[in-house]
Amino acid sequence: MARGMESEEMLKSTASSLARRRLISLTGKAIETPHYVAVTSRGVVPHVSPDVLARHTSIKAVYFGLEDFVEKSSVDAPILTTSQTLEKTSDGSALHKFTGLPGRIATILGPRRVPRVTCPAQSTDKAISICTSVGFRSLTAEDYLHAASSLRPDVVVSMADIADTDTISRKRTEKMVDRTHSWFTEAASELAPTKARTQLYASILPLDNVQQQLYLSDLADDESPSGGPAGLALYEFEAAATLPAELSEHARFCISNPSTPQDVLRAILSGADLITTSFVTATTERGIAFAFKFPPPQSSDHQQLGIDMWSTSHATSVTALSTECTCYTCKRHHRAYLHHLLQAKEMLAWTLLQVHNFHVLDKLFVAIRHSLDAATFERDANAFIACYADAFPAGEGEDRGPRMRGYQMRSTGRGEDQKRAKAWGRFEDPSGTASGADSPSAAEFENDQARKVSEAIEGGGEAQLALTADDFEHLGLAEKVKESQ
Ligand SMILES: [Zn+2]
């Protein structure tokens, strides 16, 4: 067993699938697996401030992509310059302090966020391409390791060369493994002195060639001077099947992008211990409340995975999102309130939904672990896959949620349309000539108001000056709620 794995013990494994139960220690923070890892954006789990996270969720581990903190160069990123000051003032992880995360939560740092945006430039022998808030940049292995040792997360994922194109030549795949291999070796020697406080996970590419075999046998070799990795980071869960027996004891962290609970079950069936679940935030932002449970209910009807809270059918409903749920949202609020908050575009809507959705996800993982203990997991997982719809309902909030135009959005190519129409641009054109016929410019609107005021004065003050709902909608300040079907 590799060094750094002493505290890790196997609890149980099922013979029928690769799914397994373990107790994994992320630099002293013990996590029973299978377990999810919440994905952060720019230092926070979206919609959940650190105090809400501590009080109303059971999140145990979070993932950060370094590119979220980098602007021009990773060396002068505020997280690093501030962290140096934090480092001098007290003990503990600079990443925890900078992000305000409670100390009990384990942090995992990788170079790129999940899901990653495809970069136009290819990697080189020294650097990978990253997508920052000010555009595409490159991140060298040296700068990444410098950041990792300054920030001191509980786990650092070694840098990987991933080609995001559909077809990759054989030569390119060989290069991908060679670079990933040498970046791991570099990381192992650089981070060796800080091993007690930061574990290193080796990136494993979803490939199977000679270079990969060499890389894997090198990782399994305990005799290497800097020691083996504390765990493995898999970019596709299928890669777990290609791992040699010598690496079977290592923790497997799946940095993939599952879009449904079914995908999570498939990853666990393939042997994933920890898995990133960015679909929680994506679903919350579409205004969908999770409505699944594991094992699934015994019903012949096809069940929906979630409830669309934008639907006007909830407008007068005073029942909880789920009558069985014990989360903060379900105990204190009803569907009509959630629906109203969404309509009013109150940020609280997404916070309450996120609290509920993480609670349901927690329940899913607790039930998965029970099911593995009872050796019924494979049966329960198959029943779940058969019982529920293959995807979350699209819902009416598809293009109405928050963070639609942020750089974290997956782009599908050059010149992609913006997710939302520009609402405020009308104020930029005082002449009003660029505006559409049925959307008055600010100048037209003001003239109209001035006319109403003078009419009101001339009429002896009896006429009322008021803005109608149409006025607000024309100005892009609000939208009228659609009529119930
Ligand atoms: Zn709930």
Side-chain angles (χ1 to χ4, degrees):
M1 190 181 279
R3 272 178 278 165
M5 302 267 298
E6 294 85 353
S7 54
E8 191 174 299
E9 57 171 301
M10 194 177 222
L11 292 178
K12 195 173 259 183
S13 77
T14 52
S16 47
S17 70
L18 293 169
R20 59 189 195 173
R21 281 276 277 122
R22 296 174 75 99
L23 183 65
I24 288 177
S25 167
L26 303 178
T27 312
K29 287 161 190 153
I31 295 184
E32 283 205 43
T33 67
H35 210 288
Y36 67 91
V37 174
V39 176
T40 63
S41 174
R42 289 165 254 191
V44 289
V45 176
H47 315 293
V48 184
S49 60
D51 59 328
V52 172
L53 186 142
R55 239 178 280 164
H56 301 300
T57 76
S58 309
I59 292 171
K60 288 203 159 56
V62 297
Y63 176 85
F64 293 96
L66 182 68
E67 66 183 343
D68 261 342
F69 303 103
V70 175
E71 283 194 349
K72 290 199 172 79
S73 123
S74 65
V75 181
D76 59 12
I79 192 168
L80 291 175
T81 46
T82 315
S83 297
Q84 280 161 8
T85 322
L86 291 172
E87 191 83 346
K88 283 178 199 135
T89 52
S90 55
D91 301 329
S93 150
L95 183 59
H96 269 95
K97 289 204 200 85
F98 188 83
T99 55
L101 263 188
R104 65 170 172 84
I105 295 180
T107 51
I108 305 178
L109 181 75
R112 306 218 50 201
R113 73 177 70 80
V114 177
R116 59 182 183 276
V117 170
T118 304
C119 295
Q122 298 271 6
S123 306
T124 65
D125 285 345
K126 295 243 177 292
I128 59 166
S129 254
I130 56 170
C131 173
T132 74
S133 57
V134 293
F136 296 107
R137 295 280 183 276
S138 72
L139 175 69
T140 64
E142 193 188 343
D143 286 349
Y144 177 57
L145 291 177
H146 165 73
S149 43
S150 314
L151 296 176
R152 295 201 305 181
D154 296 308
V155 171
V156 171
V157 175
S158 70
M159 208 157 91
D161 178 17
I162 302 170
D164 278 320
T165 48
D166 291 336
T167 50
I168 309 167
S169 68
R170 196 169 59 90
K171 212 166 164 50
R172 177 81 178 92
T173 58
E174 290 170 5
K175 220 169 207 179
M176 283 162 67
V177 183
D178 281 344
R179 284 171 181 162
T180 306
H181 189 169
S182 81
W183 290 335
F184 170 76
T185 315
E186 217 174 296
S189 68
E190 180 75 24
L191 298 175
T194 56
K195 231 173 151 180
R197 52 188 200 196
T198 298
Q199 293 177 335
L200 176 64
Y201 275 33
S203 282
I204 309 289
L205 300 172
L207 293 170
D208 198 6
N209 54 19
V210 180
Q211 279 73 12
Q212 179 91 332
Q213 292 310 320
L214 276 171
Y215 175 36
L216 293 176
S217 61
D218 196 36
L219 290 180
D221 179 15
D222 279 356
E223 305 310 313
S224 61
S226 47
L232 309 173
L234 312 173
Y235 287 84
E236 276 177 23
F237 62 79
E238 292 89 346
T242 67
L243 295 174
E246 303 84 63
L247 291 173
S248 64
E249 294 301 306
H250 287 68
R252 295 174 195 154
F253 169 43
C254 205
I255 315 186
S256 61
N257 186 28
S259 57
T260 57
Q262 289 92 320
D263 288 347
V264 168
L265 295 174
R266 288 187 194 102
I268 293 169
L269 281 167
S270 300
D273 297 320
L274 294 166
I275 181 163
T276 49
T277 52
S278 56
F279 70 89
V280 182
T281 300
T283 315
T284 294
E285 290 179 352
R286 277 164 38 210
I288 309 280
F290 285 176
F292 52 83
K293 61 180 185 179
F294 188 88
Q298 290 192 330
S299 154
S300 53
D301 300 339
H302 216 43
Q303 304 282 313
Q304 285 294 333
L305 287 170
I307 309 165
D308 178 15
M309 293 314 298
W310 279 98
S311 164
T312 47
S313 62
H314 305 300
T316 55
S317 168
V318 288
T319 55
L321 299 187
S322 159
T323 46
E324 290 167 31
C325 185
T326 55
C327 80
Y328 173 86
T329 307
C330 290
K331 280 195 297 191
R332 305 208 177 205
H333 301 294
H334 47 62
R335 293 184 182 196
Y337 182 54
L338 246 293
H339 175 73
H340 155 74
L341 291 175
L342 285 170
Q343 294 284 0
K345 306 216 169 127
E346 282 287 351
M347 290 187 289
L348 180 61
W350 293 285
T351 301
L352 291 176
L353 273 174
Q354 192 82 313
V355 165
H356 168 79
N357 287 348
F358 269 112
H359 186 85
V360 175
L361 189 74
D362 263 308
K363 286 269 172 277
L364 170 71
F365 276 84
V366 168
I368 287 171
R369 294 192 293 271
H370 282 165
S371 174
L372 278 166
D373 288 341
T376 57
F377 178 65
E378 205 174 347
R379 193 186 68 205
D380 293 340
N382 287 330
F384 187 97
I385 292 166
C387 176
Y388 284 98
D390 292 338
F392 283 98
E396 294 173 29
E398 185 92 74
D399 293 330
R400 298 158 89 179
R403 304 197 317 141
M404 282 294 170
R405 282 155 66 185
Y407 67 95
Q408 84 288 349
M409 289 299 295
R410 193 192 277 264
S411 142
T412 52
R414 280 172 194 276
E416 187 190 11
D417 284 344
Q418 285 183 339
K419 297 278 176 194
R420 268 204 210 120
K422 203 170 164 187
W424 296 93
R426 295 176 195 121
F427 292 109
E428 289 163 10
D429 178 24
S431 70
T433 49
S435 302
D438 50 27
S439 81
S441 70
E444 283 172 41
F445 181 78
E446 275 166 27
N447 287 341
D448 193 37
Q449 291 308 304
R451 185 178 49 75
K452 281 186 189 168
V453 172
S454 48
E455 276 172 9
I457 294 165
E458 280 164 22
E462 279 169 25
Q464 290 291 308
L465 174 65
L467 294 182
T468 66
D470 284 330
D471 293 333
F472 278 105
E473 195 167 36
H474 279 314
L475 284 170
L477 293 169
E479 276 170 41
K480 281 196 285 187
V481 176
K482 274 190 272 174
E483 295 291 324
S484 295
Q485 284 90 22

